[in-house]
């Protein structure tokens, strides 16, 4: 009953009912005060009080003790959250050689996390079977009834079209052209939400991270590839084919080297960590890994720091163009390069300033871009997959019949 | 009474009341059927019927004869529009050496249009005085009471910050740093809405043009400069400092020529019409103007067509990067180059395809970008200035006191 009510409130297509709007704010943000609900919905305080009372009566929401630390003196404001028992969200990240699973309740608490190794170039059927089997076992262990799962979020490394088709499978080529909905929905019998890894990362930063409460920002990832996501008006800009935010494939040099995407001179050929790693390995006379490279650059190794700065210079040029196009107020830097912190950030910001239109000194403080390291620079795609369900983002189709137990 | 009611419905900050939501849809779209209102608001048909009845009773809206042409057989659906007598919107475009004024009623009908020559590098005070004087005269002639004006929209050639400050005055340097609200609001005593010319153009295309009903698109303008606008989720992406969509200042070549913006190698140095016009003039041994150049290229002059194709090639490279970043479903081409039609479009689309990530043949038809000539390629900033008011976009501040007569 409780679950059905929550599901119908989350899925209500419009904002007509105050209850549905309050539930969506709680689903997106976790525990929030009545004041925050008023700011987010624009509803009158009296309307919100009434909706909260009705939702508490129906046990869809619970009152939670307010976090007092850092909130100053005075009576702490009551916070409200969705009743953890009202539903569970599953997140699933399809990674290079394993799949990662996480379950969280609708109040944003993680219940379990699990990794299932599958080996390189695993087939879709193998991933679906592993997901089904592992979820069944993990839910049983954690005491989660499958009927209480309100949706499954999938994070994929490559653009996912609105109908669920994988456009380009950047690290798992066996998935190119596969329709994620068609393979996962019949096996899991739950609404499937899906988006590419970078969009999931941006959603995790919005939900739990450095972009909480921010409606417009850019996530820019530097790792062995370059990617990112754009959030505009609180909504991930997915693009007509699911390929928004593919920053790594801006043509920097139309006569440059061939890229795996089939174009020439893409940004990620020079702005990813690959050229720096190759140069570091040549210099060291042995293979240097990404983690070692980033760590030594962060710790002040002069040569590695120079190589990282060169990466930051090219990346900042691409980012400066993104700045001219979007004029964002916040840019979060993710990917393993971000673990170098200031060693990456300082040359990146200098290069951004050199190449973008609106310079810092021109704009008053409130109109300047902030460029910062993301809260979860390397591991947020899995959290983001959960947040897809919480935010009802990237829903691939109407659910098929809901079974009471995992088949 | 009527006007006050309309103003409060238009300014209602939230979508709580069905009346306010219906009024905003009519303000944004002109005459629409109850079905279209249902699609746009998501409200139930019964709620819409009730709201329409109340608004008709209050004379805020009127029923209009439905356009029957092209709608097939059967009883035509009734359309509704805001009562033309409920309010007037003023649009004002600050152009190179004149200001242009337009008035339209809230049902989207233009009442008058006027151009006031001011000469190059006119001062803000002169423009304000000319606007005040000319509007007074034109409103008197047209029988418009100033009290019925619900707002003034300003279109400016350069980024406008959210507080009204001109960031960079691209063609009228006397305006750099001027706060548009501070100069126009005391003189006109009306709510001031402002945005840069390209954003106004995009809003005109959304309201009356080739993007009517489209929630996500890009406008790309090629003229003696290169610029544009991004619309995401039905909202112009303004950027934190009002400088979103400045496509002309993407750094194509960090060692290229100096641009008037202070950077090197900006897209507009090579993708605007200027290099082609210069080459055409050298070839012809006399000064060739933009209009002549575009016309002869469109009519098939082989040399001019080649020069235009070269412009399109570079522009398409920039546009391809915008494609990788935004993956838009619709790109409208504006500016005087667009008057060449296919002579521009064919090489532009070929270059876009070569440089962007998602190629046409990869995506099913519904996920392909459409690249088309805008409906108003050269003269929509003025219409867009009116639409700023109709859409309540770019409002610079709360209104100061409203006088009954123009001071």
């Amino acid at each position: 009953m409780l679950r059905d009510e929550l599901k119908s409130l989350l899925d209500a297509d419009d904002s007509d009912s105050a209850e549905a709007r309050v539930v969506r704010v709680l689903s997106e943000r976790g525990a929030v005060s009545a004041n925050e609900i008023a700011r987010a919905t624009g509803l009158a305080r009296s309307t919100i009080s009434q909706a909260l009372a009705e939702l508490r009566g129906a046990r869809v929401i619970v009152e939670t003790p307010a976090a007092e630390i850092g909130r100053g003196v005075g009576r702490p404001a009551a916070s409200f959250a969705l009743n953890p028992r009202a539903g569970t969200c599953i997140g699933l990240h399809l990674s290079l050689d394993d799949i990662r699973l996480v379950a969280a309740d609708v109040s944003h608490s993680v219940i379990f996390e699990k990794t299932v190794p599958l080996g390189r170039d695993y087939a879709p059927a193998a991933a679906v079977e592993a997901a089904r089997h592992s979820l069944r076992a993990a839910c049983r262990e954690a005491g989660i009834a499958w009927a209480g799962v309100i949706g499954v979020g999938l994070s994929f490394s490559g653009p996912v079209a609105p109908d669920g088709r994988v456009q380009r499978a950047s690290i798992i080529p066996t998935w190119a052209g596969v329709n994620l909905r068609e393979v996962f929905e019949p096996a899991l019998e739950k609404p499937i939400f899906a988006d590419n890894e970078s969009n999931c990362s941006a959603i995790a930063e919005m939900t739990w991270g450095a972009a909480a409460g921010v409606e417009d920002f850019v996530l820019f990832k530097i790792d062995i590839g370059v990617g990112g996501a754009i959030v505009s008006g609180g909504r991930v800009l997915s693009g007509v084919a699911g390929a928004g935010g593919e920053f790594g494939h801006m043509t920097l040099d139309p006569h440059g080297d061939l890229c795996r995407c089939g174009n020439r001179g893409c940004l990620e050929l020079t702005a990813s960590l690959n050229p720096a790693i190759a140069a570091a390995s040549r210099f060291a006379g042995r293979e240097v890994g990404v983690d070692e490279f980033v760590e030594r650059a962060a710790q002040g190794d002069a040569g590695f720091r120079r190589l990282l700065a060169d990466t930051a210079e090219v990346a900042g040029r691409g980012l400066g163009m993104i700045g001219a196009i979007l004029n964002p107020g916040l840019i979060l830097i993710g990917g393993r390069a971000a673990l170098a912190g200031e060693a990456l950030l300082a040359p990146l910001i200098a290069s951004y300033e050199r190449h973008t239109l609106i310079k810092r000194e021109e704009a008053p403080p409130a109109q300047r871009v902030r460029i910062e390291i993301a809260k979860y620079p390397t591991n947020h795609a899995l959290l983001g997959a959960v947040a897809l369900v919480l935010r009802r983002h990237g829903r691939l189709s109407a659910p098929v019949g809901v079974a009471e137990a995992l088949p």
Side-chain angles (χ1 to χ4, degrees), chain A residues 210-228:
Chain A
V214 179
E215 295 276 292
D216 300 274
F217 70 98
V218 164
L219 175 72
F220 189 80
K221 292 172 84 168
I222 309 172
D223 202 289
I224 56 169
V226 168

Side-chain angles (χ1 to χ4, degrees), chain A residues 225-250:
Chain A
V226 168
I230 301 162
V231 174
S232 167
R235 196 184 76 125
V236 174
L237 196 153
S238 298
V240 70
E246 289 287 342
F247 304 140
H249 300 284
M250 296 164 66

Side-chain angles (χ1 to χ4, degrees), chain A residues 11-325:
Chain A
D11 286 338
D13 216 13
D14 199 72
S15 47
D16 213 7
S17 109
E19 285 79 13
R21 292 164 73 181
V22 170
V23 160
R24 272 203 300 270
V25 170
L26 298 181
S27 179
E28 290 175 9
R29 305 190 186 197
V32 289
S33 70
N35 275 335
E36 289 170 291
I37 296 170
R39 271 198 299 277
T41 60
L43 291 171
R45 284 302 300 259
S46 57
T47 313
I48 291 171
S49 296
Q50 204 182 327
L52 288 172
E54 288 195 18
L55 290 166
R56 282 175 71 182
R59 292 182 304 134
V60 171
I61 68 168
V62 291
E63 198 166 332
T64 66
E68 286 181 72
I69 297 157
R71 297 239 175 153
V73 292
R75 202 164 68 90
S79 277
F80 302 89
L82 294 182
N83 183 346
R85 293 166 56 197
T88 307
C89 305
I90 303 291
L92 207 160
H93 177 53
L94 298 160
S95 191
L96 181 63
D97 53 7
D98 56 36
I99 61 172
R100 296 178 202 170
L101 307 165
V102 65
D105 65 42
V106 289
S107 75
H108 289 207
S109 298
V110 171
I111 303 167
F112 66 77
E113 221 181 308
K114 198 165 175 169
T115 299
V116 185
L118 287 174
R120 286 284 181 124
D121 291 337
Y122 55 89
V128 171
E129 190 45 42
R132 200 162 76 118
H133 180 80
S134 303
L135 283 172
R136 177 160 38 185
C139 284
R140 197 184 306 119
E141 278 166 39
I144 297 169
W146 190 249
V149 171
I150 61 170
V152 176
L154 298 176
S155 152
F156 187 79
S157 169
V160 179
D163 58 0
R165 199 174 67 94
V166 170
Q167 297 280 22
R168 286 167 172 268
S170 57
I171 58 169
I172 12 180
T174 36
W175 287 73
V178 169
N179 188 305
L180 294 176
R181 182 178 59 72
E182 286 171 9
V183 302
F184 280 99
E185 202 176 64
L188 302 180
E189 293 192 340
K190 291 292 173 184
I192 304 288
F193 302 79
D195 209 335
N196 84 61
E197 191 179 346
S198 293
N199 288 350
C200 288
S201 300
I203 289 174
E205 293 291 339
M206 276 167 85
T207 308
W208 289 287
V214 179
E215 295 276 292
D216 300 274
F217 70 98
V218 164
L219 175 72
F220 189 80
K221 292 172 84 168
I222 309 172
D223 202 289
I224 56 169
V226 168
I230 301 162
V231 174
S232 167
R235 196 184 76 125
V236 174
L237 196 153
S238 298
V240 70
E246 289 287 342
F247 304 140
H249 300 284
M250 296 164 66
T251 303
L252 228 57
D253 176 3
H255 309 294
D257 282 343
L258 196 62
C259 177
R260 63 191 163 87
C261 78
N263 290 342
R264 277 178 177 275
C266 289
L267 179 65
E268 78 170 20
L269 293 175
T270 42
S272 77
L273 287 172
N274 292 338
I277 298 290
S281 298
R282 278 196 305 276
F283 182 78
R286 62 177 174 84
E287 203 176 311
V288 174
V290 171
D291 295 329
E292 183 196 344
F293 172 76
V294 171
E295 199 182 325
R296 282 180 57 184
Q299 285 169 354
D301 178 297
F304 284 17
R305 187 164 278 208
R306 167 59 193 264
L307 291 173
L308 185 67
D310 291 347
T311 302
E313 156 63 29
V314 192
R317 187 178 144 206
L319 199 52
M321 282 198 254
I322 295 165
I325 292 171

